[in-house]
Amino acid sequence: DAGSYLVSFQVSTDAGGTLGISLNGTVIDSATVTTTSPQMAYIAIITTTAANAVISVVNPAGSGAAVCISAAGATPSTAANLNVVKIA
């Protein structure tokens, strides 16, 4: 549905990197995070006017090395989570 969504993600990685949120295949520049930390997390409010929009967490093109998701040290053994909540 069209509207505003609170989108958050957390990922355990081997060595950090860059991840971002994309809407219908287009990375939202203001919704990217780059870190050398093995714990990556981000929260954003995304608004779409189109029904059936697709929200994804991606490793943006041109961001350098690939991000390797790792369950090492995660408790429980979940390496990533994604939450999408409609707020308006």
Side-chain angles (χ1 to χ4, degrees), residues 4-79:
S4 294
Y5 294 83
L6 178 69
V7 180
S8 65
F9 67 85
Q10 180 277 323
V11 180
S12 298
T13 67
D14 285 343
T18 300
L19 291 176
I21 299 172
S22 72
L23 179 62
N24 295 324
T26 301
V27 176
I28 301 168
D29 290 335
S30 63
T32 60
V33 60
T34 300
T35 183
T36 58
S37 169
Q39 292 294 319
M40 301 178 73
Y42 198 79
I43 299 172
I45 295 177
I46 307 297
T47 301
T48 180
T49 58
N52 299 318
V54 176
I55 296 172
S56 307
V57 176
V58 298
N59 181 228
S63 65
V67 174
C68 183
I69 297 175
S70 170
T75 305
S77 60
T78 301

